[in-house]
Coordinates of all heavy atoms in Angstrom, one line a residue:
Q165 N 112.2 -52.4 -26.8 CA 111.1 -51.9 -26.0 C 109.8 -52.5 -26.3 O 109.0 -52.8 -25.4 CB 111.0 -50.4 -26.1 CG 110.3 -49.7 -25.0 CD 110.5 -48.2 -25.1 OE1 110.8 -47.6 -26.1 NE2 110.2 -47.5 -24.0
A166 N 109.6 -52.8 -27.6 CA 108.3 -53.5 -28.0 C 108.3 -54.9 -27.4 O 107.2 -55.4 -27.0 CB 108.3 -53.6 -29.5
T167 N 109.4 -55.6 -27.3 CA 109.5 -56.9 -26.8 C 109.1 -56.9 -25.3 O 108.4 -57.7 -24.8 CB 110.9 -57.5 -26.9 OG1 111.2 -57.6 -28.3 CG2 111.0 -59.0 -26.4
L168 N 109.6 -55.9 -24.6 CA 109.3 -55.7 -23.2 C 107.7 -55.5 -23.0 O 107.1 -56.1 -22.1 CB 110.0 -54.5 -22.6 CG 109.8 -54.3 -21.1 CD1 110.3 -55.5 -20.3 CD2 110.6 -53.1 -20.6
L169 N 107.1 -54.7 -23.9 CA 105.7 -54.5 -23.8 C 104.9 -55.8 -24.0 O 104.0 -56.1 -23.3 CB 105.3 -53.5 -24.8 CG 103.8 -53.2 -24.9 CD1 103.2 -52.7 -23.5 CD2 103.5 -52.2 -26.0
K170 N 105.4 -56.6 -25.0 CA 104.8 -57.9 -25.3 C 104.8 -58.8 -24.1 O 103.9 -59.5 -23.8 CB 105.4 -58.5 -26.5 CG 105.0 -57.9 -27.9 CD 105.8 -58.6 -29.0 CE 105.5 -57.9 -30.3 NZ 106.3 -58.6 -31.4
L171 N 106.0 -58.9 -23.5 CA 106.2 -59.7 -22.3 C 105.3 -59.3 -21.2 O 104.7 -60.1 -20.5 CB 107.6 -59.7 -21.9 CG 108.6 -60.5 -22.8 CD1 110.0 -60.3 -22.3 CD2 108.2 -62.0 -22.8
K172 N 105.1 -58.0 -21.0 CA 104.3 -57.5 -19.9 C 102.8 -57.8 -20.2 O 102.1 -58.3 -19.3 CB 104.4 -55.9 -19.8 CG 103.7 -55.4 -18.6 CD 104.1 -53.9 -18.4 CE 103.5 -53.4 -17.2 NZ 103.9 -52.0 -16.9
L173 N 102.4 -57.6 -21.4 CA 101.0 -58.0 -21.8 C 100.8 -59.5 -21.7 O 99.7 -59.9 -21.2 CB 100.7 -57.5 -23.2 CG 100.6 -56.0 -23.4 CD1 100.5 -55.6 -24.9 CD2 99.5 -55.4 -22.6
W174 N 101.7 -60.3 -22.1 CA 101.7 -61.7 -22.0 C 101.5 -62.2 -20.5 O 100.6 -63.0 -20.2 CB 102.9 -62.3 -22.6 CG 103.0 -63.8 -22.6 CD1 103.6 -64.6 -21.7 CD2 102.3 -64.7 -23.5 NE1 103.4 -66.0 -22.0 CE2 102.6 -66.0 -23.1 CE3 101.6 -64.5 -24.7 CZ2 102.2 -67.1 -23.8 CZ3 101.1 -65.6 -25.3 CH2 101.4 -66.9 -24.9
S175 N 102.2 -61.5 -19.6 CA 102.1 -61.9 -18.2 C 100.7 -61.6 -17.6 O 100.3 -62.1 -16.6 CB 103.2 -61.2 -17.4 OG 103.0 -59.8 -17.4
L176 N 100.0 -60.7 -18.2 CA 98.6 -60.3 -17.7 C 97.6 -61.3 -18.1 O 96.5 -61.3 -17.5 CB 98.2 -58.9 -18.2 CG 99.1 -57.8 -17.8 CD1 98.7 -56.5 -18.4 CD2 99.1 -57.6 -16.3
L177 N 97.9 -62.1 -19.1 CA 96.9 -63.1 -19.6 C 96.7 -64.3 -18.6 O 97.7 -64.7 -18.0 CB 97.3 -63.7 -20.9 CG 97.2 -62.9 -22.2 CD1 97.8 -63.6 -23.4 CD2 95.7 -62.6 -22.4
P178 N 95.5 -64.8 -18.4 CA 95.3 -66.0 -17.6 C 96.1 -67.1 -18.2 O 96.3 -67.2 -19.4 CB 93.8 -66.2 -17.6 CG 93.2 -65.0 -18.1 CD 94.2 -64.3 -18.9
L179 N 96.5 -68.1 -17.4 CA 97.4 -69.2 -17.8 C 96.7 -70.0 -18.9 O 97.3 -70.4 -19.9 CB 97.7 -70.1 -16.7 CG 98.7 -69.6 -15.6 CD1 98.8 -70.5 -14.5 CD2 100.0 -69.3 -16.3
Q180 N 95.4 -70.1 -18.9 CA 94.6 -70.9 -19.9 C 94.8 -70.3 -21.3 O 94.7 -70.9 -22.3 CB 93.1 -71.0 -19.6 CG 92.8 -71.6 -18.3 CD 92.6 -70.5 -17.2 OE1 93.5 -69.7 -17.0 NE2 91.5 -70.4 -16.6
L181 N 95.0 -69.0 -21.4 CA 95.1 -68.3 -22.7 C 96.5 -68.1 -23.2 O 96.7 -67.6 -24.3 CB 94.4 -66.9 -22.5 CG 92.9 -66.9 -22.2 CD1 92.4 -65.4 -22.0 CD2 92.1 -67.6 -23.2
R182 N 97.5 -68.5 -22.4 CA 98.9 -68.3 -22.8 C 99.3 -69.5 -23.7 O 100.1 -70.4 -23.3 CB 99.8 -68.3 -21.6 CG 99.6 -67.0 -20.8 CD 100.6 -67.0 -19.6 NE 100.2 -66.0 -18.6 CZ 100.8 -65.7 -17.6 NH1 102.0 -66.4 -17.3 NH2 100.4 -64.8 -16.7
V183 N 98.8 -69.4 -24.9 CA 99.2 -70.4 -25.9 C 100.1 -69.8 -26.9 O 99.8 -68.7 -27.5 CB 97.9 -71.0 -26.7 CG1 98.3 -72.0 -27.7 CG2 96.9 -71.5 -25.6
A184 N 101.2 -70.4 -27.1 CA 102.2 -69.8 -28.0 C 101.7 -69.9 -29.5 O 101.3 -70.9 -29.9 CB 103.6 -70.5 -27.9
M185 N 101.8 -68.8 -30.2 CA 101.5 -68.7 -31.6 C 102.7 -69.2 -32.4 O 103.9 -68.9 -32.0 CB 101.1 -67.3 -32.0 CG 99.8 -66.8 -31.4 SD 98.4 -67.8 -31.8 CE 98.3 -67.3 -33.5
P186 N 102.5 -69.8 -33.5 CA 103.7 -70.2 -34.4 C 104.4 -69.0 -34.9 O 103.8 -67.9 -35.0 CB 103.0 -71.0 -35.5 CG 101.6 -70.6 -35.5 CD 101.3 -70.1 -34.1
E187 N 105.7 -69.1 -35.1 CA 106.5 -68.0 -35.5 C 106.1 -67.5 -36.9 O 106.1 -66.4 -37.2 CB 108.0 -68.4 -35.6 CG 108.7 -68.5 -34.2 CD 108.7 -67.1 -33.6 OE1 109.0 -66.1 -34.2 OE2 108.5 -67.1 -32.3
T188 N 105.7 -68.5 -37.8 CA 105.2 -68.1 -39.1 C 103.8 -68.8 -39.3 O 103.6 -69.9 -38.8 CB 106.1 -68.6 -40.2 OG1 106.2 -70.0 -40.1 CG2 107.5 -68.0 -40.1
M189 N 102.9 -68.1 -39.9 CA 101.6 -68.6 -40.2 C 101.3 -68.4 -41.6 O 101.5 -67.3 -42.2 CB 100.6 -67.8 -39.3 CG 99.2 -68.4 -39.4 SD 98.0 -67.5 -38.4 CE 98.7 -67.7 -36.8
E190 N 100.8 -69.5 -42.2 CA 100.4 -69.4 -43.7 C 99.0 -69.0 -43.7 O 98.1 -69.5 -43.1 CB 100.6 -70.8 -44.3 CG 100.5 -70.7 -45.8 CD 100.8 -72.1 -46.4 OE1 101.8 -72.7 -46.0 OE2 100.1 -72.5 -47.4
I191 N 98.7 -68.0 -44.5 CA 97.4 -67.4 -44.7 C 97.0 -67.7 -46.2 O 97.7 -67.2 -47.1 CB 97.3 -66.0 -44.4 CG1 97.7 -65.8 -42.9 CG2 95.9 -65.4 -44.6 CD1 97.8 -64.3 -42.5
S192 N 95.9 -68.4 -46.4 CA 95.4 -68.7 -47.8 C 95.0 -67.4 -48.5 O 94.6 -66.4 -47.8 CB 94.3 -69.7 -47.7 OG 93.1 -69.1 -47.3
D193 N 95.1 -67.4 -49.8 CA 94.6 -66.2 -50.6 C 93.2 -65.9 -50.3 O 92.8 -64.7 -50.4 CB 94.9 -66.5 -52.1 CG 96.4 -66.4 -52.4 OD1 97.1 -65.8 -51.6 OD2 96.8 -66.9 -53.5
A194 N 92.4 -66.9 -50.1 CA 90.9 -66.7 -49.9 C 90.7 -65.9 -48.6 O 89.7 -65.2 -48.5 CB 90.2 -68.0 -49.8
A195 N 91.6 -65.9 -47.7 CA 91.4 -65.2 -46.4 C 92.0 -63.8 -46.4 O 91.8 -63.0 -45.5 CB 92.1 -66.0 -45.3
K196 N 92.7 -63.4 -47.5 CA 93.3 -62.1 -47.6 C 92.3 -61.1 -48.2 O 91.5 -61.4 -49.0 CB 94.5 -62.2 -48.4 CG 95.6 -63.0 -47.8 CD 96.8 -63.1 -48.8 CE 97.8 -64.1 -48.2 NZ 99.0 -64.3 -49.1
S197 N 92.4 -59.8 -47.7 CA 91.6 -58.7 -48.2 C 92.3 -57.4 -48.0 O 93.4 -57.4 -47.4 CB 90.3 -58.7 -47.5 OG 90.5 -58.4 -46.1
G198 N 91.8 -56.4 -48.6 CA 92.3 -55.1 -48.5 C 93.5 -54.8 -49.4 O 94.0 -55.7 -50.1
D199 N 94.0 -53.6 -49.4 CA 95.1 -53.2 -50.3 C 96.1 -52.3 -49.5 O 96.9 -51.7 -50.1 CB 94.6 -52.5 -51.5 CG 93.8 -51.2 -51.2 OD1 93.7 -50.8 -50.0 OD2 93.3 -50.5 -52.1
G200 N 96.0 -52.4 -48.2 CA 96.9 -51.6 -47.3 C 96.3 -50.2 -47.0 O 96.9 -49.5 -46.2
T201 N 95.2 -49.8 -47.5 CA 94.6 -48.6 -47.2 C 93.5 -48.8 -46.1 O 92.9 -49.9 -46.1 CB 93.9 -47.9 -48.4 OG1 92.8 -48.6 -48.9 CG2 95.0 -47.7 -49.5
T202 N 93.2 -47.8 -45.4 CA 92.1 -47.9 -44.4 C 90.7 -48.0 -45.1 O 89.8 -48.6 -44.5 CB 92.1 -46.7 -43.4 OG1 92.0 -45.5 -44.1 CG2 93.3 -46.8 -42.5
Q203 N 90.6 -47.4 -46.2 CA 89.3 -47.4 -47.0 C 88.9 -48.8 -47.4 O 87.8 -49.2 -47.4 CB 89.5 -46.5 -48.2 CG 88.2 -46.5 -49.1 CD 88.3 -45.6 -50.3 OE1 89.4 -45.0 -50.5 NE2 87.3 -45.6 -51.1
N204 N 89.9 -49.7 -47.7 CA 89.6 -51.0 -48.1 C 89.9 -52.1 -47.1 O 90.0 -53.3 -47.5 CB 90.4 -51.3 -49.4 CG 89.8 -50.5 -50.6 OD1 88.6 -50.3 -50.7 ND2 90.7 -50.0 -51.4
V205 N 89.9 -51.8 -45.9 CA 90.1 -52.9 -44.8 C 88.9 -53.8 -44.9 O 87.7 -53.4 -44.9 CB 90.1 -52.2 -43.4 CG1 90.0 -53.3 -42.4 CG2 91.4 -51.5 -43.3
G206 N 89.2 -55.1 -45.1 CA 88.1 -56.1 -45.1 C 87.5 -56.3 -46.5 O 86.6 -57.1 -46.6
I207 N 87.9 -55.5 -47.5 CA 87.3 -55.6 -48.8 C 88.2 -56.4 -49.7 O 89.4 -56.1 -49.8 CB 87.1 -54.2 -49.4 CG1 86.2 -53.3 -48.5 CG2 86.5 -54.3 -50.8 CD1 84.8 -53.8 -48.3
K208 N 87.7 -57.4 -50.3 CA 88.4 -58.2 -51.2 C 88.5 -57.5 -52.6 O 87.7 -57.7 -53.5 CB 87.8 -59.6 -51.4 CG 88.7 -60.7 -51.8 CD 88.2 -62.0 -51.3 CE 89.0 -63.1 -51.8 NZ 90.3 -63.1 -51.3
V209 N 89.5 -56.6 -52.7 CA 89.6 -55.7 -53.8 C 89.8 -56.4 -55.2 O 89.3 -55.9 -56.2 CB 90.7 -54.6 -53.6 CG1 90.4 -53.7 -52.5 CG2 92.1 -55.3 -53.4
G210 N 90.3 -57.6 -55.2 CA 90.5 -58.3 -56.5 C 89.4 -59.2 -56.9 O 89.4 -59.8 -57.9
A211 N 88.3 -59.2 -56.1 CA 87.2 -60.1 -56.4 C 86.3 -59.5 -57.4 O 86.2 -58.3 -57.6 CB 86.4 -60.3 -55.1
S212 N 85.5 -60.4 -58.1 CA 84.7 -60.0 -59.2 C 83.2 -59.8 -58.9 O 82.5 -59.2 -59.7 CB 84.8 -61.0 -60.3 OG 86.1 -61.2 -60.7
F213 N 82.7 -60.3 -57.8 CA 81.3 -60.2 -57.5 C 81.0 -59.3 -56.4 O 81.2 -59.5 -55.2 CB 80.8 -61.7 -57.1 CG 81.0 -62.6 -58.3 CD1 82.2 -63.3 -58.4 CD2 80.0 -62.8 -59.2 CE1 82.4 -64.2 -59.4 CE2 80.2 -63.7 -60.3 CZ 81.4 -64.4 -60.4
Q214 N 80.4 -58.1 -56.8 CA 80.2 -57.0 -55.8 C 78.7 -57.1 -55.3 O 77.8 -57.3 -56.0 CB 80.3 -55.7 -56.6 CG 79.8 -54.5 -55.8 CD 80.8 -53.9 -54.9 OE1 82.0 -53.8 -55.2 NE2 80.4 -53.6 -53.7
C215 N 78.6 -57.0 -54.0 CA 77.3 -57.0 -53.3 C 76.6 -55.7 -53.7 O 77.2 -54.6 -53.7 CB 77.4 -57.1 -51.8 SG 75.8 -56.9 -50.9
A216 N 75.3 -55.8 -54.1 CA 74.6 -54.6 -54.5 C 74.2 -53.7 -53.4 O 73.9 -52.5 -53.6 CB 73.3 -55.0 -55.2
E217 N 74.3 -54.1 -52.1 CA 73.9 -53.4 -51.0 C 75.0 -52.8 -50.1 O 74.7 -52.1 -49.2 CB 72.9 -54.2 -50.2 CG 71.7 -54.5 -51.0 CD 70.5 -55.0 -50.2 OE1 70.4 -54.5 -49.0 OE2 69.8 -55.9 -50.6
C218 N 76.2 -53.3 -50.4 CA 77.4 -52.8 -49.6 C 78.6 -52.8 -50.4 O 78.6 -53.1 -51.6 CB 77.5 -53.6 -48.3 SG 78.1 -55.3 -48.5
R219 N 79.8 -52.6 -49.8 CA 81.0 -52.6 -50.5 C 81.8 -53.9 -50.6 O 82.8 -54.0 -51.2 CB 82.0 -51.6 -49.9 CG 81.4 -50.1 -49.9 CD 82.4 -49.1 -49.4 NE 83.7 -49.1 -50.1 CZ 84.9 -49.4 -49.6 NH1 85.0 -49.6 -48.3 NH2 85.9 -49.4 -50.4
Q220 N 81.2 -54.9 -50.0 CA 81.9 -56.2 -50.0 C 81.9 -56.8 -51.4 O 81.0 -56.6 -52.2 CB 81.1 -57.2 -49.1 CG 81.2 -56.9 -47.6 CD 82.6 -57.2 -47.1 OE1 83.4 -58.0 -47.6 NE2 83.0 -56.4 -46.1
K221 N 83.0 -57.5 -51.7 CA 83.2 -58.2 -52.9 C 83.6 -59.7 -52.6 O 84.2 -60.0 -51.6 CB 84.4 -57.6 -53.7 CG 84.0 -56.2 -54.2 CD 85.2 -55.7 -55.1 CE 84.9 -54.3 -55.6 NZ 86.0 -53.8 -56.5
F222 N 83.2 -60.5 -53.6 CA 83.4 -62.0 -53.4 C 84.0 -62.6 -54.6 O 83.9 -62.1 -55.7 CB 82.0 -62.6 -53.0 CG 81.5 -62.0 -51.8 CD1 80.6 -60.9 -51.9 CD2 81.8 -62.5 -50.5 CE1 80.1 -60.3 -50.7 CE2 81.3 -61.9 -49.4 CZ 80.4 -60.8 -49.5
D223 N 84.6 -63.8 -54.4 CA 85.3 -64.6 -55.4 C 84.3 -65.4 -56.3 O 84.6 -65.8 -57.3 CB 86.3 -65.5 -54.9 CG 87.6 -64.7 -54.4 OD1 87.9 -63.7 -55.0 OD2 88.2 -65.2 -53.4
S224 N 83.1 -65.6 -55.7 CA 82.1 -66.4 -56.5 C 80.7 -65.8 -56.2 O 80.4 -65.1 -55.2 CB 82.1 -67.8 -56.0 OG 81.6 -67.9 -54.7
E225 N 79.8 -66.1 -57.2 CA 78.4 -65.7 -57.0 C 77.8 -66.4 -55.8 O 77.0 -65.7 -55.1 CB 77.6 -66.1 -58.3 CG 76.2 -65.7 -58.3 CD 75.9 -64.2 -58.3 OE1 76.8 -63.4 -58.8 OE2 74.8 -63.8 -57.8
K226 N 78.1 -67.6 -55.6 CA 77.6 -68.3 -54.4 C 77.9 -67.7 -53.1 O 77.1 -67.5 -52.2 CB 78.0 -69.8 -54.4 CG 77.5 -70.6 -53.3 CD 76.0 -70.8 -53.4 CE 75.6 -71.8 -52.3 NZ 74.2 -72.0 -52.3
A227 N 79.2 -67.2 -53.0 CA 79.6 -66.6 -51.8 C 78.9 -65.2 -51.6 O 78.5 -64.9 -50.5 CB 81.1 -66.3 -51.8
K228 N 78.7 -64.5 -52.7 CA 77.9 -63.3 -52.7 C 76.5 -63.5 -52.2 O 75.9 -62.8 -51.4 CB 77.9 -62.6 -54.0 CG 77.2 -61.2 -54.0 CD 77.2 -60.6 -55.4 CE 76.0 -61.2 -56.1 NZ 75.7 -60.5 -57.4
Q229 N 75.9 -64.6 -52.7 CA 74.5 -64.9 -52.4 C 74.4 -65.3 -50.9 O 73.4 -64.9 -50.2 CB 74.0 -66.0 -53.3 CG 73.7 -65.6 -54.7 CD 73.4 -66.8 -55.6 OE1 73.5 -68.0 -55.2 NE2 73.1 -66.5 -56.8
L230 N 75.3 -66.0 -50.4 CA 75.3 -66.4 -49.0 C 75.5 -65.2 -48.1 O 74.8 -65.0 -47.1 CB 76.4 -67.4 -48.7 CG 76.1 -68.8 -49.2 CD1 77.3 -69.7 -49.0 CD2 74.9 -69.4 -48.4
H231 N 76.3 -64.3 -48.5 CA 76.5 -63.0 -47.8 C 75.2 -62.3 -47.7 O 74.8 -61.8 -46.6 CB 77.6 -62.2 -48.5 CG 77.6 -60.7 -48.1 ND1 78.1 -60.2 -47.0 CD2 77.0 -59.7 -48.8 CE1 77.9 -58.9 -46.9 NE2 77.3 -58.5 -48.0
W232 N 74.5 -62.1 -48.9 CA 73.3 -61.4 -48.9 C 72.2 -62.0 -48.0 O 71.5 -61.3 -47.3 CB 72.8 -61.2 -50.3 CG 71.6 -60.3 -50.4 CD1 71.6 -59.0 -50.6 CD2 70.2 -60.7 -50.3 NE1 70.4 -58.5 -50.6 CE2 69.5 -59.5 -50.4 CE3 69.6 -61.9 -50.1 CZ2 68.1 -59.5 -50.3 CZ3 68.2 -61.9 -50.0 CH2 67.4 -60.7 -50.1
K233 N 72.2 -63.3 -48.1 CA 71.2 -64.1 -47.3 C 71.3 -63.8 -45.8 O 70.3 -63.6 -45.1 CB 71.3 -65.6 -47.6 CG 70.4 -66.4 -46.8 CD 70.6 -67.9 -47.1 CE 69.7 -68.8 -46.3 NZ 69.9 -70.2 -46.6
F234 N 72.6 -63.8 -45.3 CA 72.8 -63.7 -43.9 C 73.0 -62.3 -43.4 O 72.8 -62.0 -42.2 CB 73.9 -64.6 -43.5 CG 73.6 -66.1 -43.5 CD1 74.0 -66.9 -44.6 CD2 72.8 -66.7 -42.5 CE1 73.7 -68.2 -44.7 CE2 72.5 -68.0 -42.6 CZ 72.9 -68.8 -43.7
I235 N 73.3 -61.4 -44.3 CA 73.5 -60.0 -43.9 C 72.4 -59.0 -44.3 O 72.0 -58.2 -43.5 CB 74.9 -59.5 -44.5 CG1 76.0 -60.4 -44.0 CG2 75.1 -58.0 -44.1 CD1 76.3 -60.5 -42.5
H236 N 71.9 -59.2 -45.5 CA 70.9 -58.2 -46.0 C 69.5 -58.6 -46.1 O 68.6 -57.8 -46.3 CB 71.4 -57.6 -47.4 CG 72.8 -57.1 -47.3 ND1 73.1 -55.9 -46.6 CD2 74.0 -57.5 -47.9 CE1 74.4 -55.6 -46.8 NE2 74.9 -56.6 -47.6
D237 N 69.2 -59.9 -46.2 CA 67.9 -60.4 -46.5 C 66.9 -59.9 -45.4 O 67.0 -60.3 -44.3 CB 67.9 -61.9 -46.6 CG 66.5 -62.5 -47.0 OD1 65.6 -61.8 -47.2 OD2 66.5 -63.7 -47.2
P238 N 65.9 -59.1 -45.8 CA 65.0 -58.6 -44.8 C 64.0 -59.6 -44.3 O 63.3 -59.4 -43.3 CB 64.3 -57.4 -45.5 CG 64.4 -57.8 -47.0 CD 65.7 -58.5 -47.1
N239 N 63.8 -60.7 -45.0 CA 62.9 -61.7 -44.7 C 63.5 -62.8 -43.8 O 62.8 -63.7 -43.3 CB 62.3 -62.4 -45.9 CG 61.6 -61.4 -46.8 OD1 60.8 -60.6 -46.2 ND2 61.8 -61.5 -48.1
R240 N 64.8 -62.7 -43.5 CA 65.4 -63.7 -42.7 C 65.1 -63.4 -41.2 O 65.2 -62.3 -40.8 CB 66.9 -63.7 -42.9 CG 67.7 -64.7 -42.1 CD 69.1 -64.8 -42.5 NE 69.8 -65.7 -41.7 CZ 70.4 -65.4 -40.5 NH1 70.4 -64.1 -40.1 NH2 71.0 -66.3 -39.8
H241 N 64.7 -64.5 -40.5 CA 64.3 -64.3 -39.1 C 65.6 -64.0 -38.3 O 66.6 -64.6 -38.4 CB 63.7 -65.6 -38.6 CG 63.4 -65.6 -37.1 ND1 62.5 -64.8 -36.5 CD2 64.0 -66.2 -36.1 CE1 62.5 -65.0 -35.2 NE2 63.4 -65.8 -34.9
Q242 N 65.5 -62.9 -37.5 CA 66.6 -62.5 -36.6 C 66.1 -62.7 -35.2 O 65.1 -62.1 -34.8 CB 66.9 -61.0 -36.9 CG 67.4 -60.8 -38.3 CD 68.9 -61.0 -38.4 OE1 69.6 -60.9 -37.5 NE2 69.3 -61.5 -39.6
E243 N 66.9 -63.4 -34.4 CA 66.6 -63.5 -32.9 C 67.2 -62.3 -32.2 O 68.2 -61.7 -32.5 CB 67.2 -64.7 -32.4 CG 66.5 -66.0 -32.9 CD 67.1 -67.2 -32.2 OE1 67.5 -67.1 -31.0 OE2 67.0 -68.3 -32.8
D244 N 66.4 -61.8 -31.3 CA 66.9 -60.6 -30.5 C 67.8 -61.0 -29.3 O 67.7 -62.0 -28.7 CB 65.7 -59.8 -30.0 CG 64.9 -59.1 -31.1 OD1 65.4 -59.1 -32.2 OD2 63.9 -58.6 -30.8

């Protein structure tokens, strides 16, 4: 039944978007996050560098600094 639903949804897509996904996809460790709970969705639970202003964690100080610069820095110009 799930396959039938997938086929029905697939048929609703415009032809330009009907690109076949590979059967298997390799995901690097750097792209993985969470621990299977809803509380930690998107949180890199094994990382060592915690943002002081939110729950995000990073593998390096540089990554944490870039996150702060683009997400939390109040002096950064924001276009409306």
Side-chain angles (χ1 to χ4, degrees):
Q165 201 169 16
T167 303
L168 183 59
L169 178 60
K170 286 179 187 177
L171 288 174
K172 187 172 186 174
L173 293 173
W174 181 261
S175 67
L176 296 174
L177 285 174
L179 289 176
Q180 305 92 303
L181 298 177
R182 293 184 195 181
V183 178
M185 294 297 292
E187 286 295 320
T188 59
M189 185 181 299
E190 189 173 320
I191 300 173
S192 71
D193 287 339
K196 295 177 183 175
S197 65
D199 61 3
T201 66
T202 55
Q203 180 179 359
N204 289 324
V205 168
I207 304 297
K208 203 154 176 62
V209 292
S212 303
F213 299 88
Q214 170 82 45
C215 176
E217 298 193 36
C218 70
R219 296 185 62 237
Q220 289 291 329
K221 293 183 179 182
F222 301 90
D223 288 329
S224 69
E225 180 67 26
K226 180 67 174 177
K228 183 183 85 169
Q229 290 171 352
L230 286 169
H231 160 80
W232 188 87
K233 177 181 177 180
F234 289 101
I235 303 300
H236 303 294
D237 187 353
N239 299 317
R240 184 170 175 271
H241 175 70
Q242 298 276 327
E243 291 186 27
D244 292 350

